[in-house]
Amino acid sequence: MSGFKLPFTSLELLCLFFCLLTLSGITTGQDVRKVVEVGSDVILPCSLSNKQDITEAVFDWQKEAQKDQDQKEVFFYDAATHYNNGHTGQSEEFKGRVSHFDDQLNHGNASIIIRNTKMADSGNYTCAFLQLQIRQTFYIELVVGVTPKPVIRTLHATEYWLLLQCEVLGASPQPEVEWQDRDGNKLPAEEPHVSERGGSYDITLKITVKKTDLYHCVVEQEDIKHRVTSETFVYISEKVVEDSSTEVMIGWLSLGFILGVFSVLAVLALLVYKKWITIRCNNSLRQQGNGSDEENGPVQMKKGSCEDPSVLLPQSTEAS
Protein backbone atom coordinates (compact mmCIF):
# COMPACT_ATOMS: atom_id res chain seq x y z
CA MET A 1 0.00 0.00 0.00
CA SER A 2 2.97 2.28 0.48
CA GLY A 3 3.31 2.60 -3.30
CA PHE A 4 -0.37 3.43 -3.88
CA LYS A 5 -0.98 6.90 -5.27
CA LEU A 6 -4.30 8.71 -5.66
CA PRO A 7 -5.09 9.57 -9.30
CA PHE A 8 -6.18 13.10 -8.23
CA THR A 9 -4.67 15.78 -6.08
CA SER A 10 -6.67 17.29 -3.20
CA LEU A 11 -7.43 20.38 -5.28
CA GLU A 12 -8.62 18.24 -8.18
CA LEU A 13 -10.89 16.24 -5.86
CA LEU A 14 -12.41 19.45 -4.52
CA CYS A 15 -13.09 20.74 -8.01
CA LEU A 16 -14.60 17.39 -8.96
CA PHE A 17 -16.95 17.55 -5.96
CA PHE A 18 -18.26 21.00 -6.91
CA CYS A 19 -18.64 19.96 -10.54
CA LEU A 20 -20.76 16.96 -9.54
CA LEU A 21 -22.82 19.17 -7.24
CA THR A 22 -23.39 21.65 -10.05
CA LEU A 23 -24.36 18.93 -12.51
CA SER A 24 -26.88 17.62 -10.02
CA GLY A 25 -28.53 21.04 -10.09
CA ILE A 26 -28.45 21.48 -6.31
CA THR A 27 -26.48 23.91 -4.17
CA THR A 28 -26.97 24.97 -0.59
CA GLY A 29 -27.00 28.43 0.89
CA GLN A 30 -25.33 29.51 4.13
CA ASP A 31 -27.12 28.54 7.35
CA VAL A 32 -28.66 31.47 9.24
CA ARG A 33 -29.96 31.65 12.81
CA LYS A 34 -32.57 34.26 13.76
CA VAL A 35 -33.61 34.86 17.38
CA VAL A 36 -36.54 37.16 18.18
CA GLU A 37 -38.93 37.87 21.01
CA VAL A 38 -42.45 36.48 20.83
CA GLY A 39 -44.95 38.88 19.23
CA SER A 40 -42.37 40.64 17.08
CA ASP A 41 -41.91 40.49 13.28
CA VAL A 42 -38.97 38.64 11.76
CA ILE A 43 -37.42 38.58 8.29
CA LEU A 44 -36.12 35.21 7.08
CA PRO A 45 -33.42 35.95 4.47
CA CYS A 46 -33.12 34.15 1.12
CA SER A 47 -31.30 35.85 -1.76
CA LEU A 48 -29.37 34.73 -4.82
CA SER A 49 -25.75 35.81 -4.71
CA ASN A 50 -25.80 36.80 -8.41
CA LYS A 51 -28.97 38.90 -7.86
CA GLN A 52 -30.71 37.15 -10.75
CA ASP A 53 -34.25 38.34 -11.50
CA ILE A 54 -36.68 35.82 -9.99
CA THR A 55 -39.93 37.56 -10.94
CA GLU A 56 -40.86 34.58 -13.13
CA ALA A 57 -39.15 32.00 -10.97
CA VAL A 58 -40.49 29.50 -8.46
CA PHE A 59 -39.41 29.39 -4.83
CA ASP A 60 -40.88 27.54 -1.89
CA TRP A 61 -40.60 28.22 1.84
CA GLN A 62 -41.21 25.29 4.18
CA LYS A 63 -40.83 24.60 7.89
CA GLU A 64 -39.14 21.26 8.46
CA ALA A 65 -40.98 18.50 10.31
CA GLN A 66 -40.46 18.32 14.07
CA LYS A 67 -40.91 15.36 16.39
CA ASP A 68 -44.54 16.24 17.09
CA GLN A 69 -45.43 18.05 13.83
CA ASP A 70 -45.45 17.42 10.07
CA GLN A 71 -43.70 19.58 7.49
CA LYS A 72 -45.42 22.96 7.10
CA GLU A 73 -46.01 25.02 3.96
CA VAL A 74 -45.02 28.59 4.83
CA PHE A 75 -44.94 30.51 1.51
CA PHE A 76 -44.99 29.48 -2.15
CA TYR A 77 -44.27 31.77 -5.12
CA ASP A 78 -44.76 30.83 -8.77
CA ALA A 79 -44.39 33.64 -11.31
CA ALA A 80 -46.46 36.20 -9.40
CA THR A 81 -48.88 33.61 -8.05
CA HIS A 82 -48.54 32.92 -4.33
CA TYR A 83 -50.46 32.06 -1.18
CA ASN A 84 -51.65 35.61 -0.65
CA ASN A 85 -53.34 35.94 -4.05
CA GLY A 86 -55.17 32.71 -4.62
CA HIS A 87 -52.62 29.91 -4.51
CA THR A 88 -53.74 27.14 -2.12
CA GLY A 89 -51.85 24.79 0.17
CA GLN A 90 -50.50 27.10 2.87
CA SER A 91 -50.48 25.67 6.43
CA GLU A 92 -53.22 27.13 8.58
CA GLU A 93 -50.97 28.67 11.25
CA PHE A 94 -49.16 30.85 8.69
CA LYS A 95 -52.19 32.22 6.85
CA GLY A 96 -52.34 36.01 6.91
CA ARG A 97 -48.96 36.33 8.66
CA VAL A 98 -46.42 35.74 5.88
CA SER A 99 -45.54 37.96 2.93
CA HIS A 100 -42.64 38.52 0.52
CA PHE A 101 -40.91 41.62 -0.88
CA ASP A 102 -42.39 42.02 -4.33
CA ASP A 103 -40.21 45.01 -5.23
CA GLN A 104 -37.05 43.02 -4.47
CA LEU A 105 -37.71 40.03 -6.72
CA ASN A 106 -35.86 41.55 -9.66
CA HIS A 107 -32.75 41.61 -7.44
CA GLY A 108 -32.97 37.91 -6.57
CA ASN A 109 -34.46 38.53 -3.12
CA ALA A 110 -36.92 35.83 -2.02
CA SER A 111 -36.91 36.75 1.67
CA ILE A 112 -40.16 36.63 3.63
CA ILE A 113 -41.45 38.35 6.75
CA ILE A 114 -43.42 36.52 9.45
CA ARG A 115 -45.53 38.88 11.55
CA ASN A 116 -46.58 38.50 15.17
CA THR A 117 -44.31 35.54 15.82
CA LYS A 118 -45.43 32.77 18.15
CA MET A 119 -43.57 30.19 20.19
CA ALA A 120 -44.78 27.54 17.74
CA ASP A 121 -42.93 29.32 14.90
CA SER A 122 -39.60 28.20 16.32
CA GLY A 123 -37.89 25.62 14.11
CA ASN A 124 -35.85 25.08 10.94
CA TYR A 125 -36.95 26.63 7.64
CA THR A 126 -35.85 26.05 4.04
CA CYS A 127 -36.05 28.36 1.04
CA ALA A 128 -35.68 26.43 -2.22
CA PHE A 129 -35.45 27.77 -5.79
CA LEU A 130 -37.03 24.98 -7.81
CA GLN A 131 -36.65 25.92 -11.49
CA LEU A 132 -33.28 27.61 -11.72
CA GLN A 133 -30.49 26.05 -13.77
CA ILE A 134 -28.77 25.37 -10.48
CA ARG A 135 -31.27 24.55 -7.76
CA GLN A 136 -30.44 26.35 -4.54
CA THR A 137 -31.69 25.76 -0.99
CA PHE A 138 -31.17 28.05 1.99
CA TYR A 139 -31.51 26.96 5.62
CA ILE A 140 -32.69 29.26 8.41
CA GLU A 141 -33.19 28.43 12.08
CA LEU A 142 -35.79 30.56 13.84
CA VAL A 143 -35.89 30.84 17.64
CA VAL A 144 -38.86 32.70 19.08
CA GLY A 145 -38.21 33.59 22.69
CA VAL A 146 -40.51 34.67 25.49
CA THR A 147 -39.50 36.35 28.73
CA PRO A 148 -42.37 36.64 31.20
CA LYS A 149 -42.08 39.19 33.98
CA PRO A 150 -40.91 37.49 37.21
CA VAL A 151 -43.21 37.33 40.23
CA ILE A 152 -41.78 37.99 43.71
CA ARG A 153 -43.36 36.40 46.79
CA THR A 154 -42.52 36.52 50.50
CA LEU A 155 -42.52 32.93 51.75
CA HIS A 156 -41.61 33.61 55.38
CA ALA A 157 -40.96 36.71 57.47
CA THR A 158 -39.61 37.42 60.95
CA GLU A 159 -38.43 40.57 62.70
CA TYR A 160 -34.88 39.82 61.61
CA TRP A 161 -35.05 38.28 58.09
CA LEU A 162 -37.30 37.49 55.11
CA LEU A 163 -37.35 34.54 52.73
CA LEU A 164 -38.12 35.81 49.20
CA GLN A 165 -38.92 33.78 46.10
CA CYS A 166 -38.65 34.84 42.46
CA GLU A 167 -40.75 32.80 40.05
CA VAL A 168 -40.51 32.79 36.24
CA LEU A 169 -43.07 30.73 34.30
CA GLY A 170 -42.95 29.70 30.63
CA ALA A 171 -39.65 31.31 29.61
CA SER A 172 -37.96 30.31 26.37
CA PRO A 173 -35.08 29.92 25.67
CA GLN A 174 -33.91 29.08 29.21
CA PRO A 175 -32.94 32.38 30.88
CA GLU A 176 -30.49 33.30 33.62
CA VAL A 177 -32.21 34.35 36.85
CA GLU A 178 -30.50 36.16 39.72
CA TRP A 179 -31.13 38.42 42.73
CA GLN A 180 -29.55 41.87 42.88
CA ASP A 181 -29.48 44.66 45.44
CA ARG A 182 -30.29 48.32 44.82
CA ASP A 183 -26.85 48.94 43.29
CA GLY A 184 -27.08 46.00 40.89
CA ASN A 185 -24.74 43.71 42.80
CA LYS A 186 -25.46 40.01 42.41
CA LEU A 187 -26.51 38.44 45.71
CA PRO A 188 -25.84 34.88 46.90
CA ALA A 189 -29.02 32.81 46.72
CA GLU A 190 -30.13 29.20 46.81
CA GLU A 191 -29.71 26.91 43.81
CA PRO A 192 -32.48 27.65 41.28
CA HIS A 193 -35.17 25.03 40.70
CA VAL A 194 -35.69 24.50 36.96
CA SER A 195 -38.38 22.45 35.21
CA GLU A 196 -38.92 22.15 31.42
CA ARG A 197 -42.03 21.39 29.39
CA GLY A 198 -42.37 21.64 25.64
CA GLY A 199 -39.33 23.88 25.20
CA SER A 200 -40.38 26.41 27.87
CA TYR A 201 -38.92 26.68 31.37
CA ASP A 202 -40.26 27.36 34.85
CA ILE A 203 -37.65 28.66 37.29
CA THR A 204 -37.82 29.56 41.00
CA LEU A 205 -35.00 31.20 42.94
CA LYS A 206 -35.07 31.83 46.70
CA ILE A 207 -33.02 34.18 48.86
CA THR A 208 -32.90 35.11 52.56
CA VAL A 209 -32.39 38.85 53.18
CA LYS A 210 -31.43 40.40 56.50
CA LYS A 211 -31.23 44.14 55.87
CA THR A 212 -33.34 46.98 54.58
CA ASP A 213 -32.90 47.42 50.82
CA LEU A 214 -34.56 47.38 47.40
CA TYR A 215 -34.17 43.89 45.94
CA HIS A 216 -34.41 43.03 42.22
CA CYS A 217 -35.14 39.71 40.55
CA VAL A 218 -33.47 39.87 37.13
CA VAL A 219 -34.33 37.57 34.20
CA GLU A 220 -31.98 37.76 31.21
CA GLN A 221 -31.95 35.88 27.89
CA GLU A 222 -28.72 36.40 26.03
CA ASP A 223 -29.99 34.84 22.77
CA ILE A 224 -32.75 37.38 22.25
CA LYS A 225 -30.94 40.23 24.04
CA HIS A 226 -33.84 40.66 26.43
CA ARG A 227 -33.89 41.55 30.12
CA VAL A 228 -36.82 42.02 32.49
CA THR A 229 -36.91 42.69 36.24
CA SER A 230 -39.25 42.88 39.21
CA GLU A 231 -38.43 44.56 42.50
CA THR A 232 -39.54 44.58 46.11
CA PHE A 233 -38.63 46.78 49.07
CA VAL A 234 -37.73 45.09 52.36
CA TYR A 235 -37.64 47.01 55.65
CA ILE A 236 -35.92 45.54 58.69
CA SER A 237 -35.70 47.84 61.75
CA GLU A 238 -32.12 48.49 62.88
CA LYS A 239 -33.40 48.88 66.46
CA VAL A 240 -34.87 45.39 66.29
CA VAL A 241 -31.54 44.05 65.10
CA GLU A 242 -29.65 45.89 67.89
CA ASP A 243 -32.12 44.72 70.53
CA SER A 244 -31.78 41.22 69.19
CA SER A 245 -27.99 41.39 69.54
CA THR A 246 -28.29 42.71 73.10
CA GLU A 247 -30.75 39.98 74.04
CA VAL A 248 -28.45 37.35 72.64
CA MET A 249 -25.47 38.75 74.59
CA ILE A 250 -27.43 38.92 77.87
CA GLY A 251 -28.72 35.43 77.25
CA TRP A 252 -25.23 34.06 76.84
CA LEU A 253 -24.02 35.86 80.00
CA SER A 254 -26.94 34.47 82.01
CA LEU A 255 -26.35 31.01 80.69
CA GLY A 256 -22.66 31.27 81.56
CA PHE A 257 -23.44 32.36 85.13
CA ILE A 258 -25.92 29.52 85.65
CA LEU A 259 -23.51 26.96 84.25
CA GLY A 260 -20.78 28.34 86.54
CA VAL A 261 -22.93 27.95 89.66
CA PHE A 262 -23.93 24.42 88.73
CA SER A 263 -20.30 23.56 88.04
CA VAL A 264 -19.21 24.71 91.52
CA LEU A 265 -22.03 22.79 93.19
CA ALA A 266 -21.21 19.71 91.16
CA VAL A 267 -17.54 19.87 92.18
CA LEU A 268 -18.44 20.27 95.88
CA ALA A 269 -20.88 17.35 95.67
CA LEU A 270 -18.22 15.20 94.05
CA LEU A 271 -15.65 16.10 96.74
CA VAL A 272 -18.09 15.27 99.52
CA TYR A 273 -19.09 12.01 97.79
CA LYS A 274 -15.44 10.99 97.49
CA LYS A 275 -14.91 11.95 101.19
CA TRP A 276 -12.10 14.26 100.24
CA ILE A 277 -13.73 16.92 102.44
CA THR A 278 -16.24 16.75 105.31
CA ILE A 279 -18.50 19.25 107.05
CA ARG A 280 -18.43 19.14 110.88
CA CYS A 281 -21.10 20.70 112.98
CA ASN A 282 -20.90 21.24 116.83
CA ASN A 283 -23.59 18.87 118.06
CA SER A 284 -22.88 19.42 121.75
CA LEU A 285 -24.83 21.62 124.07
CA ARG A 286 -24.01 25.27 123.72
CA GLN A 287 -24.29 27.47 126.79
CA GLN A 288 -24.22 31.22 127.08
CA GLY A 289 -21.81 32.59 129.69
CA ASN A 290 -21.39 29.90 132.43
CA GLY A 291 -24.22 27.78 130.98
CA SER A 292 -27.08 29.12 133.19
CA ASP A 293 -29.52 31.94 133.22
CA GLU A 294 -30.22 33.60 136.54
CA GLU A 295 -33.94 33.68 135.97
CA ASN A 296 -34.67 30.73 133.76
CA GLY A 297 -31.86 28.39 134.57
CA PRO A 298 -29.64 26.59 132.09
CA VAL A 299 -30.09 27.42 128.44
CA GLN A 300 -29.70 24.63 125.82
CA MET A 301 -29.06 24.89 122.12
CA LYS A 302 -30.77 22.51 119.73
CA LYS A 303 -28.80 19.36 119.32
CA GLY A 304 -27.55 18.61 115.81
CA SER A 305 -27.75 22.19 114.49
CA CYS A 306 -25.03 23.74 112.38
CA GLU A 307 -25.27 27.24 113.80
CA ASP A 308 -21.69 26.93 114.88
CA PRO A 309 -20.12 25.04 112.03
CA SER A 310 -16.50 24.26 112.08
CA VAL A 311 -14.39 25.08 109.12
CA LEU A 312 -14.25 22.66 106.25
CA LEU A 313 -11.46 20.34 107.16
CA PRO A 314 -9.87 17.56 105.22
CA GLN A 315 -10.89 14.13 106.52
CA SER A 316 -7.36 13.40 107.62
CA THR A 317 -7.44 16.38 110.07
CA GLU A 318 -10.70 15.13 111.62
CA ALA A 319 -9.22 11.76 112.21
CA SER A 320 -6.31 13.23 114.20
Side-chain angles (χ1 to χ4, degrees), residues 39-59:
S40 61
D41 300 340
V42 60
I43 296 176
L44 303 186
C46 178
S47 296
L48 296 176
S49 59
N50 61 4
K51 298 185 179 182
Q52 177 183 340
D53 188 349
I54 56 174
T55 304
E56 301 298 324
V58 178
F59 59 87

PDB file of all heavy atoms in Angstrom, residues 39-59:
ATOM      1  N   GLY A  39     -44.123  37.738  19.547  1.00  0.00           N
ATOM      2  CA  GLY A  39     -44.954  38.881  19.231  1.00  0.00           C
ATOM      3  C   GLY A  39     -44.327  39.868  18.269  1.00  0.00           C
ATOM      4  O   GLY A  39     -45.017  40.764  17.755  1.00  0.00           O
ATOM      5  N   SER A  40     -43.041  39.721  18.005  1.00  0.00           N
ATOM      6  CA  SER A  40     -42.375  40.642  17.082  1.00  0.00           C
ATOM      7  C   SER A  40     -42.428  40.089  15.655  1.00  0.00           C
ATOM      8  O   SER A  40     -42.843  38.956  15.426  1.00  0.00           O
ATOM      9  CB  SER A  40     -40.917  40.853  17.508  1.00  0.00           C
ATOM     10  OG  SER A  40     -40.208  39.618  17.477  1.00  0.00           O
ATOM     11  N   ASP A  41     -41.999  40.918  14.685  1.00  0.00           N
ATOM     12  CA  ASP A  41     -41.913  40.491  13.284  1.00  0.00           C
ATOM     13  C   ASP A  41     -40.482  40.081  12.980  1.00  0.00           C
ATOM     14  O   ASP A  41     -39.531  40.656  13.531  1.00  0.00           O
ATOM     15  CB  ASP A  41     -42.332  41.623  12.352  1.00  0.00           C
ATOM     16  CG  ASP A  41     -43.765  42.081  12.606  1.00  0.00           C
ATOM     17  OD1 ASP A  41     -44.531  41.299  13.212  1.00  0.00           O
ATOM     18  OD2 ASP A  41     -44.103  43.214  12.211  1.00  0.00           O
ATOM     19  N   VAL A  42     -40.315  39.106  12.093  1.00  0.00           N
ATOM     20  CA  VAL A  42     -38.974  38.641  11.761  1.00  0.00           C
ATOM     21  C   VAL A  42     -38.863  38.433  10.258  1.00  0.00           C
ATOM     22  O   VAL A  42     -39.806  37.958   9.611  1.00  0.00           O
ATOM     23  CB  VAL A  42     -38.635  37.329  12.506  1.00  0.00           C
ATOM     24  CG1 VAL A  42     -39.599  36.207  12.154  1.00  0.00           C
ATOM     25  CG2 VAL A  42     -37.199  36.907  12.239  1.00  0.00           C
ATOM     26  N   ILE A  43     -37.714  38.807   9.700  1.00  0.00           N
ATOM     27  CA  ILE A  43     -37.423  38.580   8.288  1.00  0.00           C
ATOM     28  C   ILE A  43     -36.523  37.361   8.162  1.00  0.00           C
ATOM     29  O   ILE A  43     -35.447  37.313   8.776  1.00  0.00           O
ATOM     30  CB  ILE A  43     -36.752  39.804   7.649  1.00  0.00           C
ATOM     31  CG1 ILE A  43     -37.701  41.002   7.650  1.00  0.00           C
ATOM     32  CG2 ILE A  43     -36.290  39.495   6.220  1.00  0.00           C
ATOM     33  CD1 ILE A  43     -37.081  42.288   7.125  1.00  0.00           C
ATOM     34  N   LEU A  44     -36.949  36.374   7.380  1.00  0.00           N
ATOM     35  CA  LEU A  44     -36.116  35.210   7.082  1.00  0.00           C
ATOM     36  C   LEU A  44     -35.451  35.447   5.733  1.00  0.00           C
ATOM     37  O   LEU A  44     -36.137  35.539   4.711  1.00  0.00           O
ATOM     38  CB  LEU A  44     -36.964  33.934   7.061  1.00  0.00           C
ATOM     39  CG  LEU A  44     -37.752  33.616   8.338  1.00  0.00           C
ATOM     40  CD1 LEU A  44     -38.417  32.235   8.218  1.00  0.00           C
ATOM     41  CD2 LEU A  44     -36.875  33.675   9.567  1.00  0.00           C
ATOM     42  N   PRO A  45     -34.120  35.570   5.697  1.00  0.00           N
ATOM     43  CA  PRO A  45     -33.423  35.948   4.470  1.00  0.00           C
ATOM     44  C   PRO A  45     -33.245  34.794   3.485  1.00  0.00           C
ATOM     45  O   PRO A  45     -33.002  33.657   3.860  1.00  0.00           O
ATOM     46  CB  PRO A  45     -32.067  36.428   4.989  1.00  0.00           C
ATOM     47  CG  PRO A  45     -31.851  35.628   6.244  1.00  0.00           C
ATOM     48  CD  PRO A  45     -33.204  35.432   6.853  1.00  0.00           C
ATOM     49  N   CYS A  46     -33.363  35.118   2.193  1.00  0.00           N
ATOM     50  CA  CYS A  46     -33.117  34.147   1.122  1.00  0.00           C
ATOM     51  C   CYS A  46     -32.892  34.934  -0.168  1.00  0.00           C
ATOM     52  O   CYS A  46     -33.840  35.468  -0.749  1.00  0.00           O
ATOM     53  CB  CYS A  46     -34.306  33.195   0.981  1.00  0.00           C
ATOM     54  SG  CYS A  46     -34.145  31.982  -0.344  1.00  0.00           S
ATOM     55  N   SER A  47     -31.629  35.045  -0.586  1.00  0.00           N
ATOM     56  CA  SER A  47     -31.304  35.853  -1.764  1.00  0.00           C
ATOM     57  C   SER A  47     -30.239  35.156  -2.596  1.00  0.00           C
ATOM     58  O   SER A  47     -29.303  34.550  -2.061  1.00  0.00           O
ATOM     59  CB  SER A  47     -30.796  37.242  -1.352  1.00  0.00           C
ATOM     60  OG  SER A  47     -31.796  37.971  -0.686  1.00  0.00           O
ATOM     61  N   LEU A  48     -30.379  35.263  -3.907  1.00  0.00           N
ATOM     62  CA  LEU A  48     -29.372  34.725  -4.816  1.00  0.00           C
ATOM     63  C   LEU A  48     -28.146  35.633  -4.815  1.00  0.00           C
ATOM     64  O   LEU A  48     -28.278  36.868  -4.857  1.00  0.00           O
ATOM     65  CB  LEU A  48     -29.941  34.616  -6.225  1.00  0.00           C
ATOM     66  CG  LEU A  48     -31.109  33.629  -6.400  1.00  0.00           C
ATOM     67  CD1 LEU A  48     -31.638  33.711  -7.836  1.00  0.00           C
ATOM     68  CD2 LEU A  48     -30.683  32.214  -6.063  1.00  0.00           C
ATOM     69  N   SER A  49     -26.985  35.017  -4.770  1.00  0.00           N
ATOM     70  CA  SER A  49     -25.752  35.806  -4.710  1.00  0.00           C
ATOM     71  C   SER A  49     -25.526  36.600  -5.993  1.00  0.00           C
ATOM     72  O   SER A  49     -24.930  37.678  -5.978  1.00  0.00           O
ATOM     73  CB  SER A  49     -24.566  34.889  -4.443  1.00  0.00           C
ATOM     74  OG  SER A  49     -24.465  33.899  -5.467  1.00  0.00           O
ATOM     75  N   ASN A  50     -26.006  36.093  -7.141  1.00  0.00           N
ATOM     76  CA  ASN A  50     -25.804  36.802  -8.410  1.00  0.00           C
ATOM     77  C   ASN A  50     -26.912  37.812  -8.699  1.00  0.00           C
ATOM     78  O   ASN A  50     -26.933  38.443  -9.758  1.00  0.00           O
ATOM     79  CB  ASN A  50     -25.709  35.813  -9.568  1.00  0.00           C
ATOM     80  CG  ASN A  50     -26.974  34.973  -9.724  1.00  0.00           C
ATOM     81  OD1 ASN A  50     -27.958  35.176  -9.010  1.00  0.00           O
ATOM     82  ND2 ASN A  50     -26.944  34.018 -10.656  1.00  0.00           N
ATOM     83  N   LYS A  51     -27.864  37.941  -7.739  1.00  0.00           N
ATOM     84  CA  LYS A  51     -28.971  38.902  -7.859  1.00  0.00           C
ATOM     85  C   LYS A  51     -29.787  38.713  -9.135  1.00  0.00           C
ATOM     86  O   LYS A  51     -30.274  39.674  -9.741  1.00  0.00           O
ATOM     87  CB  LYS A  51     -28.443  40.337  -7.767  1.00  0.00           C
ATOM     88  CG  LYS A  51     -27.786  40.648  -6.432  1.00  0.00           C
ATOM     89  CD  LYS A  51     -27.380  42.101  -6.339  1.00  0.00           C
ATOM     90  CE  LYS A  51     -26.757  42.391  -4.973  1.00  0.00           C
ATOM     91  NZ  LYS A  51     -26.398  43.817  -4.830  1.00  0.00           N
ATOM     92  N   GLN A  52     -29.933  37.477  -9.552  1.00  0.00           N
ATOM     93  CA  GLN A  52     -30.714  37.155 -10.747  1.00  0.00           C
ATOM     94  C   GLN A  52     -32.180  37.494 -10.532  1.00  0.00           C
ATOM     95  O   GLN A  52     -32.744  37.280  -9.471  1.00  0.00           O
ATOM     96  CB  GLN A  52     -30.560  35.650 -11.048  1.00  0.00           C
ATOM     97  CG  GLN A  52     -31.385  35.167 -12.214  1.00  0.00           C
ATOM     98  CD  GLN A  52     -31.247  33.658 -12.396  1.00  0.00           C
ATOM     99  OE1 GLN A  52     -30.293  33.056 -11.908  1.00  0.00           O
ATOM    100  NE2 GLN A  52     -32.193  33.051 -13.117  1.00  0.00           N
ATOM    101  N   ASP A  53     -32.825  38.002 -11.554  1.00  0.00           N
ATOM    102  CA  ASP A  53     -34.248  38.341 -11.497  1.00  0.00           C
ATOM    103  C   ASP A  53     -35.071  37.067 -11.318  1.00  0.00           C
ATOM    104  O   ASP A  53     -34.970  36.123 -12.112  1.00  0.00           O
ATOM    105  CB  ASP A  53     -34.649  39.055 -12.785  1.00  0.00           C
ATOM    106  CG  ASP A  53     -36.084  39.603 -12.713  1.00  0.00           C
ATOM    107  OD1 ASP A  53     -36.824  39.251 -11.762  1.00  0.00           O
ATOM    108  OD2 ASP A  53     -36.458  40.382 -13.604  1.00  0.00           O
ATOM    109  N   ILE A  54     -35.882  37.029 -10.264  1.00  0.00           N
ATOM    110  CA  ILE A  54     -36.681  35.824  -9.991  1.00  0.00           C
ATOM    111  C   ILE A  54     -38.182  36.137 -10.081  1.00  0.00           C
ATOM    112  O   ILE A  54     -39.005  35.423  -9.517  1.00  0.00           O
ATOM    113  CB  ILE A  54     -36.348  35.232  -8.597  1.00  0.00           C
ATOM    114  CG1 ILE A  54     -36.551  36.287  -7.498  1.00  0.00           C
ATOM    115  CG2 ILE A  54     -34.936  34.676  -8.568  1.00  0.00           C
ATOM    116  CD1 ILE A  54     -36.387  35.741  -6.088  1.00  0.00           C
ATOM    117  N   THR A  55     -38.523  37.184 -10.802  1.00  0.00           N
ATOM    118  CA  THR A  55     -39.930  37.557 -10.936  1.00  0.00           C
ATOM    119  C   THR A  55     -40.751  36.429 -11.545  1.00  0.00           C
ATOM    120  O   THR A  55     -41.903  36.194 -11.160  1.00  0.00           O
ATOM    121  CB  THR A  55     -40.069  38.816 -11.801  1.00  0.00           C
ATOM    122  OG1 THR A  55     -39.284  39.870 -11.243  1.00  0.00           O
ATOM    123  CG2 THR A  55     -41.523  39.271 -11.881  1.00  0.00           C
ATOM    124  N   GLU A  56     -40.167  35.693 -12.483  1.00  0.00           N
ATOM    125  CA  GLU A  56     -40.863  34.581 -13.130  1.00  0.00           C
ATOM    126  C   GLU A  56     -40.401  33.227 -12.605  1.00  0.00           C
ATOM    127  O   GLU A  56     -40.719  32.194 -13.190  1.00  0.00           O
ATOM    128  CB  GLU A  56     -40.638  34.650 -14.645  1.00  0.00           C
ATOM    129  CG  GLU A  56     -41.125  35.926 -15.294  1.00  0.00           C
ATOM    130  CD  GLU A  56     -42.636  36.105 -15.126  1.00  0.00           C
ATOM    131  OE1 GLU A  56     -43.363  35.091 -15.166  1.00  0.00           O
ATOM    132  OE2 GLU A  56     -43.084  37.259 -14.949  1.00  0.00           O
ATOM    133  N   ALA A  57     -39.697  33.242 -11.515  1.00  0.00           N
ATOM    134  CA  ALA A  57     -39.150  31.996 -10.972  1.00  0.00           C
ATOM    135  C   ALA A  57     -40.140  31.344 -10.005  1.00  0.00           C
ATOM    136  O   ALA A  57     -41.247  31.852  -9.769  1.00  0.00           O
ATOM    137  CB  ALA A  57     -37.826  32.273 -10.265  1.00  0.00           C
ATOM    138  N   VAL A  58     -39.700  30.219  -9.462  1.00  0.00           N
ATOM    139  CA  VAL A  58     -40.493  29.497  -8.462  1.00  0.00           C
ATOM    140  C   VAL A  58     -39.615  29.270  -7.230  1.00  0.00           C
ATOM    141  O   VAL A  58     -38.501  28.741  -7.346  1.00  0.00           O
ATOM    142  CB  VAL A  58     -40.982  28.123  -8.997  1.00  0.00           C
ATOM    143  CG1 VAL A  58     -41.754  27.380  -7.896  1.00  0.00           C
ATOM    144  CG2 VAL A  58     -41.837  28.298 -10.231  1.00  0.00           C
ATOM    145  N   PHE A  59     -40.118  29.708  -6.090  1.00  0.00           N
ATOM    146  CA  PHE A  59     -39.413  29.387  -4.833  1.00  0.00           C
ATOM    147  C   PHE A  59     -40.433  29.005  -3.763  1.00  0.00           C
ATOM    148  O   PHE A  59     -41.571  29.463  -3.773  1.00  0.00           O
ATOM    149  CB  PHE A  59     -38.512  30.544  -4.368  1.00  0.00           C
ATOM    150  CG  PHE A  59     -39.207  31.853  -4.121  1.00  0.00           C
ATOM    151  CD1 PHE A  59     -39.773  32.147  -2.882  1.00  0.00           C
ATOM    152  CD2 PHE A  59     -39.283  32.815  -5.136  1.00  0.00           C
ATOM    153  CE1 PHE A  59     -40.394  33.370  -2.656  1.00  0.00           C
ATOM    154  CE2 PHE A  59     -39.905  34.036  -4.908  1.00  0.00           C
ATOM    155  CZ  PHE A  59     -40.462  34.320  -3.665  1.00  0.00           C
TER     156      PHE A  59
END
